[in-house]
Amino acid sequence: MSTYRDFTLTHRGSARGTVLRTIGTRERRSHLTAPRVPTVGIDIGGTKVMAGVVDADGIILEKIRTETPDKSKSPKVVEDTIVELVLDLSDRHDVHAVGIGAAGWVDADRSRVLFAPHLAWRDEPLRDALQSRLAVPVMVDNDANTAAWAEWRFGAGRGEDHLVMITLGTGIGGAILEGGQVKRGRFGVAGEFGHMQVVPGGHRCPCGNRGCWEQYSSGNALVREARELAAADSPVAHEIIARVGGNVSEITGPLITELAREGDAMCVELLDDIGQWLGVGIANLAAALDPSCFVIGGGVSAADDLLIGPARDAFRRHLTGRGYRPEARIAKAQLGPEAGMVGAADLARLVARRFRRATRRRVERYERYAQWGLIDSPATANRKAADAKGADPKAADPTTADPTTADLTDGDTQ
């Protein structure tokens, strides 16, 4: 059962340990043979940093979170926050790897955050910066990719070989999974579906273009439409105006969803409009990618059938070759706001496996060299070190000459 504990952390100083470097540019279906060890997943958004210890079955053992530092601050401030969360969790759990799901563009090697709209990360070497401070391997990926991975492994996308996830929040994010592998593109920034142009010359998007999909089917689009009606004192906006006491700036997506569930006609219509645009975009993606399943996540998906019902209708109307081809399934995400965190932890488990294999090879090579007399055995090395210090050989640390053999046992099947 998940344990939820929310608090604001204060800086505790420098981190512990050094890191053994690992590489891993992609995950494979062999996640099923990854070591069944706890890992930490971290989801970094514009307002919060959420961290949790996740087991091999996707169960959250403990979750903590803190506010995201202001984006005007240096990248190190965010790194300090991540390190503090990991070290706090490692006090109570045996953590073997850390996965980061970042709201931004991550390069194809999953080592650098190229751009994060809500943070001061510009070509930031996040993986190396964290690995220099933590004693476990670190994996970095886009937050939509980690959420899609979690839904494929443990949620609404289980059993699907061709899956597309769409995350509806402030904007629209997305991810593509095929054959058990996240498709990141040549430069690592695939899945930015929200910036497909659907209305030439339409609403201006913060990306600099006009008519992007997320300007018509996202949390921002939903709130913008409601506020425009309320600011115009439209009769259809009477209920929502009364609910916010005339303060139009207090209209939010969750409030619109709440009123729609209560039967407010305007809010129902606004969600229907957002859902229609969602269906149009999904039909376009089906024409390009032909997946078997679309998973809809993000905060706006909490509207359930008020949103997804109209999306399914519009998808069927706009699907190329409709009536002559199989239709992809459209499902709501099951893991909620923890999906990105769970997916990041699970992807990190694959990095932990490769890390442990590399460690095993180093130990085996070390033992062979000792047998051949090319280097001293651990016992001989310890005895020489103790003699050099004029100390009792039995008092020497028996592990100092043996490279991290403790990392070789728990659950590693290969």
Side-chain angles (χ1 to χ4, degrees), residues 370-381:
Q371 290 173 359
W372 296 340
L374 299 177
I375 60 174
D376 291 331
S377 68
T380 301

Side-chain angles (χ1 to χ4, degrees), residues 71-89:
K71 68 178 180 180
S72 65
K73 296 181 180 178
S74 71
K76 188 176 181 299
V77 176
V78 184
E79 292 163 13
D80 290 341
T81 301
I82 295 170
V83 169
E84 291 301 319
L85 290 168
V86 173
L87 295 182
D88 184 76
L89 290 168

Side-chain angles (χ1 to χ4, degrees), residues 216 221-222 225-226 229 234 236-237 256-257 259-261 263-277 306-307 310:
Y216 299 88
L222 181 66
E225 295 296 315
L229 286 168
S234 170
V236 300
I256 297 168
T257 300
L259 288 173
R261 286 175 175 154
D264 180 77
M266 184 198 77
C267 293
V268 170
E269 182 177 340
L270 289 178
L271 282 169
D272 185 88
D273 288 344
I274 297 297
Q276 294 283 334
W277 277 112
L306 289 168
L307 173 83

Side-chain angles (χ1 to χ4, degrees), residues 219-263:
N220 268 356
L222 181 66
V223 171
R224 181 192 67 229
E225 295 296 315
R227 288 179 177 178
E228 286 181 0
L229 286 168
D233 200 25
S234 170
V236 300
H238 172 76
E239 182 62 30
I240 201 167
I241 292 171
R243 186 67 64 95
V244 298
N247 190 346
V248 173
S249 65
E250 292 184 6
I251 295 175
T252 63
L255 175 59
I256 297 168
T257 300
E258 178 185 343
L259 288 173
R261 286 175 175 154
E262 294 174 2

Side-chain angles (χ1 to χ4, degrees), residues 48 280 285 328 395 404:
K48 71 178 185 306
V280 170
L285 290 173
T404 58

Side-chain angles (χ1 to χ4, degrees), residues 362-386:
R362 285 194 295 270
V363 171
E364 290 173 347
R365 184 166 57 247
Y366 183 93
E367 291 174 345
R368 285 198 302 272
Y369 289 169
Q371 290 173 359
W372 296 340
L374 299 177
I375 60 174
D376 291 331
S377 68
T380 301
N382 283 331
R383 185 166 56 252
K384 288 181 178 180

Side-chain angles (χ1 to χ4, degrees), residues 388-408:
K389 294 179 180 179
D392 181 359
K394 293 182 180 180
D397 183 356
T399 66
T400 54
D402 190 5
T404 58
T405 54
D407 283 339
L408 304 181

